[in-house]
Amino acid sequence: MNLIFLRHGEATDNVKNLLSDKEIYWSTLTEQGKKMAIDSINNLQKDIDVMYVSPLPRTIETAHYVYEKYPYIKVVIENRIREIDYGKYSHSKNNKELDEVRNKQFNGDYLVRFGDYGENKLDIEKRLSSFLLDIFKTKN
């Protein structure tokens, strides 16, 4: 089994430097982001059988370009691979407090959260590990 990770292209909230972790913000690809996505897709191998996609508009849009080139692949919308939940910082610009949380997480603090109700490193690792384990089980 080979896994290919493809990040969405530049999105409108990226340009505005906003943390876009919810569908409601409707952060879609910019013209540059569409070009980035298409350029990346042109380098993909041809034997893709399943594509897992976050439910966010920018990732759905990127997946659509993949699907246009490879219409035979199965597409699965997967909530566990969505953006980090930034809690009270959702749809705000980066700031010193967020950087402090990221540094703590990077240095091994699994419990510090983004804001009062955002995700911590343990939450993120659990949902991503669960997703990868499920893929492994279905392919073996």
Side-chain angles (χ1 to χ4, degrees):
M1 166 181 29
N2 291 321
L3 296 177
I4 301 167
F5 293 91
L6 177 66
R7 188 182 188 278
H8 61 81
E10 177 188 74
T12 53
D13 280 353
N14 295 137
V15 173
K16 297 173 189 172
N17 294 316
L18 293 172
L19 300 171
S20 187
D21 59 352
K22 309 269 186 303
E23 292 88 344
I24 193 69
Y25 304 135
W26 208 255
S27 181
T28 57
L29 298 179
T30 63
E31 288 305 313
Q32 176 65 21
K34 291 174 187 176
K35 182 182 179 323
M36 292 165 68
I38 291 167
D39 288 348
S40 294
I41 291 161
N42 287 332
N43 294 317
L44 290 177
Q45 61 190 42
K46 297 201 183 308
D47 60 344
I48 301 169
D49 55 334
V50 181
M51 175 172 45
Y52 297 93
V53 183
S54 157
L56 297 173
R58 61 187 178 255
T59 60
I60 298 285
E61 193 175 1
T62 301
H64 176 75
Y65 290 119
V66 175
Y67 188 76
E68 282 183 330
K69 187 166 182 178
Y70 305 103
Y72 54 84
I73 63 176
K74 178 181 175 183
V75 179
V76 177
I77 307 298
E78 176 57 64
N79 198 48
R80 292 175 292 179
I81 58 173
R82 68 180 304 112
E83 180 71 45
I84 295 167
D85 183 344
Y86 286 102
K88 71 179 183 180
Y89 299 108
S90 181
H91 215 238
S92 64
K93 292 192 178 206
N94 193 45
N95 60 56
K96 184 180 175 188
E97 195 173 339
L98 279 167
D99 285 340
E100 289 172 2
V101 171
R102 283 189 198 95
N103 284 334
K104 287 178 182 177
Q105 288 183 345
F106 181 77
N107 290 318
D109 187 335
Y110 271 69
L111 302 179
V112 64
R113 293 186 175 281
F114 289 104
D116 297 330
Y117 55 89
E119 285 187 301
N120 61 32
K121 192 172 181 175
L122 182 61
D123 296 330
I124 298 163
E125 187 173 300
K126 283 170 52 178
R127 72 176 161 87
L128 293 176
S129 294
S130 166
F131 166 68
L132 291 171
L133 183 60
D134 285 350
I135 290 175
F136 181 75
K137 286 178 184 175
T138 60
K139 291 294 178 185
N140 290 317

